[in-house]
Amino acid sequence: MLELRRVGKTFNPGTVNEKVALQAVDLHLDDGDFATIVGSNGAGKSTLFNAIAGAFVPDTGTITLDGQDITFQPDYRRSKVIGRMFQDPLKGTAPHMTIEENLALAFLRASGHTSPFSRITRADRALFAEKLSALGLGLEDRMKQPVGLLSGGQRQALTLLMATLVTPKLLLLDEHTAALDPATADKVLALTRQIVAEHHITCLMITHNMHDALTLGNRTLMMDGGRIVLDVGGEERRHMTVPDLLERFAQNAGHALDNDRILLSAEE
């Protein structure tokens, strides 16, 4: 489904600011895989997402999605089949546009309707209302209101719906609940589980919460220094505890995890 082979990226090469962000990363996701990714700041997690989404062309390696080589495909073309959410609730929506208009933009882009004469039909609006109703937030009654009036949690739930309104081949979740309060984060995570499972979406999710890393999805990846140093799933993952995960990381990376935010989540 998703195949990364020897993907590498160095920023500012040959200068004092040289930064090796990805080092010959290999990754294979089968159709329907839901993998969580953990790593310290600077480990390469968001850079990996940027490579997959097409924010830059990697220096080395290839990226294949659903059998198609997308290594040199521009990001606007990949956005039709790759959904993405960011940590900041303000990034995924246009605040001065209504809920309906935001959904319409996402729907037309992902459906491949790029003509300036493309229009949203009454049936499309009914679909939007139905999908909003399923979120359980009452947004189906506020479709004409600007998105800027919504709370952070409501905006992230709406962004999640926009990213999956037309089922993507791949969904990238970049700490999409980190800026929310715990109760709202739990609600958005529950919606994430539901939507991903319902549509059998292949998904990669960055998280700093070690418990979520082991309980969400079917695989856990850990990154360090631009490399994937641990990839666990199946029976091994089902019997693994957070201390086990930290110990395996230390063995494979050659040092203990030193991110306070991640370690605090491990003690909860």
Side-chain angles (χ1 to χ4, degrees), residues 37-59:
I37 305 178
V38 186
S40 299
N41 294 334
K45 306 180 301 296
S46 291
T47 305
L48 178 67
F49 273 21
N50 286 335
I52 296 169
F56 58 79
V57 175
D59 299 330

Side-chain angles (χ1 to χ4, degrees), residues 172-239:
L172 304 176
L173 304 173
D174 194 345
E175 291 194 81
H176 68 305
T177 63
L180 308 178
D181 65 84
T184 305
D186 287 343
K187 173 70 172 177
V188 173
L189 275 180
L191 289 171
T192 302
R193 287 180 190 259
Q194 175 187 330
I195 291 173
V196 168
E198 180 182 344
H199 298 285
H200 195 66
I201 299 172
T202 306
C203 183
L204 279 170
M205 187 185 88
I206 296 172
T207 179
H208 270 90
N209 188 297
M210 296 292 285
H211 296 282
D212 288 344
L214 279 176
T215 57
L216 284 168
N218 64 319
R219 284 171 65 185
T220 299
L221 312 177
M222 296 194 75
M223 293 191 69
D224 180 67
R227 301 174 296 128
I228 295 175
V229 296
L230 182 63
D231 182 352
V232 292
E235 280 298 313
E236 181 183 16
R237 183 179 187 260
R238 275 190 285 274
H239 296 292

Side-chain angles (χ1 to χ4, degrees), residues 105-148:
L105 282 176
F107 181 73
L108 290 173
R109 181 189 70 242
S111 333
H113 295 291
T114 55
S115 166
F117 300 104
S118 297
R119 293 291 184 270
I120 293 298
T121 66
R122 181 177 299 179
D124 294 334
R125 291 188 178 90
L127 173 67
F128 298 166
E130 177 187 339
K131 295 292 187 181
L132 286 169
S133 178
L135 296 179
L137 300 174
L139 298 181
E140 68 275 14
D141 299 320
R142 302 173 61 182
M143 288 177 60
K144 299 297 183 182
Q145 291 188 7
V147 168

Side-chain angles (χ1 to χ4, degrees), residues 65 72-74 85 88 106 124 151 161 194 208 214 223 249:
L65 181 63
F72 299 98
Q73 191 178 90
M85 289 184 66
D88 186 353
D124 294 334
S151 68
L161 178 56
Q194 175 187 330
H208 270 90
L214 279 176
M223 293 191 69
F249 173 86

Side-chain angles (χ1 to χ4, degrees), residues 25-92:
V25 173
D26 289 324
L27 174 64
H28 175 84
L29 291 184
D30 288 323
D31 187 34
D33 270 352
F34 184 164
T36 56
I37 305 178
V38 186
S40 299
N41 294 334
K45 306 180 301 296
S46 291
T47 305
L48 178 67
F49 273 21
N50 286 335
I52 296 169
F56 58 79
V57 175
D59 299 330
T60 60
T62 59
I63 302 172
T64 305
L65 181 63
D66 203 19
Q68 180 182 3
D69 188 339
I70 62 170
T71 310
F72 299 98
Q73 191 178 90
D75 54 357
Y76 70 86
R77 288 188 59 190
R78 297 190 206 190
S79 69
K80 295 179 181 180
V81 293
I82 298 177
R84 187 174 184 181
M85 289 184 66
F86 297 89
Q87 178 177 334
D88 186 353
L90 303 181
K91 278 192 173 183

